[in-house]
Amino acid sequence: GAVVSQHPSRVICKSGTSVKIECRSLDFQATTMFWYRQFPKQSLMLMATSNEGSKATYEQGVEKDKFLINHASLTLSTLTVTSAHPEDSSFYICSASRANRDYNSPLHFGNGTRLTVT
Amino acid sequence: QKEVEQNSGPLSVPEGAIASLNCTYSDRGSQSFFWYRQYSGKSPELIMFIYSNGDKEDGRFTAQLNKASQYVSLLIRDSQPSDSATYLCAPRAGNTPLVFGKGTRLSVIA
């Protein structure tokens, strides 16, 4: 069964509004979660690394003030797309590793969130 | 800059044949290697992983790793139309996020 739950699966919002996406690790604690974005026919691009209890680490070119990440608990990370614009329309996917101390353990992905900004 | 190279395909194979997917990576510090399958519009799902040089088999799937050549492959035996998807290779070095290439699109023809 799924080990990472992501919600919502699909959202449509108007330009200028904000959207929050939740990512939960099921039956395990994840001190680190990763947020990816995927545009059509493109590869998954890492946006940021979410660290429980501390600030997220953003990849080059990703605006931290636009994509707010909060990792307030060991099982929940949220990504908020602020003042969304049509170019933010994409497939957002979170991931987590079941065993934080085993760096060779695989990442499990949530089902993704399809964001459409009109 | 960590890079992962895969033939983007599409790789077309007839049903029942063996599909061979290849991947090269640039980071010599990579310790573990993961293969994911991604259906169109869906998130990636883990197929299998390999840590040591050589072959690892799991059902119809066999992963092969050669760290000296920085090469990892995935063989799919008895390919089925349901195997048609994009396959992503992802090396990992320590507690780092996975870096993906564009993946290889596989099409299994019935």
Side-chain angles (χ1 to χ4, degrees), chain A residues 8-113:
Chain A
S9 59
R10 189 179 298 269
V11 59
I12 300 173
C13 70
K14 292 185 176 180
S15 186
T17 60
S18 296
V19 173
K20 179 185 283 188
I21 302 170
E22 293 187 348
C23 180
R24 294 180 184 275
S25 57
L26 305 178
D27 75 12
F28 71 98
Q29 295 179 335
T31 57
T32 303
M33 293 185 179
F34 304 102
W35 287 93
Y36 291 83
R37 177 169 57 180
Q38 187 175 37
F39 292 105
K41 299 189 185 303
Q42 300 293 314
S43 61
L44 283 85
M45 297 301 297
L46 178 69
M47 297 178 67
T49 300
S50 173
N51 303 298
E52 187 272 335
S54 65
K55 293 182 179 180
T57 304
Y58 291 82
E59 295 299 299
Q60 190 174 5
V62 178
E63 299 175 54
K64 63 179 181 179
D65 294 329
K66 180 172 182 60
F67 299 99
L68 301 179
I69 291 175
N70 186 305
H71 195 151
S73 78
L74 287 171
T75 59
L76 174 64
S77 175
T78 61
L79 168 68
T80 301
V81 182
T82 63
S83 186
H85 288 95
E87 57 265 32
D88 298 323
S89 299
S90 187
F91 191 45
Y92 293 84
I93 316 171
C94 71
S95 66
S97 178
R98 180 182 287 276
N100 292 295
R101 285 191 294 273
D102 180 359
Y103 300 148
N104 289 321
S105 62
L107 291 185
H108 298 278
F109 287 86
N111 286 333
T113 297

Side-chain angles (χ1 to χ4, degrees), chain B residues 28-89:
Chain B
R28 284 195 171 274
S30 299
Q31 300 164 308
S32 49
F33 305 84
F34 304 95
W35 280 100
Y36 289 84
R37 174 174 62 195
Q38 186 178 25
Y39 292 110
S40 181
K42 304 293 185 180
S43 68
E45 55 180 323
L46 180 68
I47 297 176
M48 65 184 302
F49 51 89
I50 186 168
Y51 305 145
S52 304
N53 281 326
D55 295 1
K56 179 182 178 183
E57 187 175 317
D58 184 358
R60 295 188 297 115
F61 301 98
T62 298
Q64 299 173 316
L65 174 61
N66 184 325
K67 291 185 181 180
S69 300
Q70 295 175 254
Y71 172 88
V72 59
S73 67
L74 179 70
L75 299 178
I76 307 175
R77 290 181 298 282
D78 188 24
S79 296
Q80 301 297 308
S82 59
D83 294 327
S84 298
T86 297
Y87 288 79
L88 304 167
C89 160

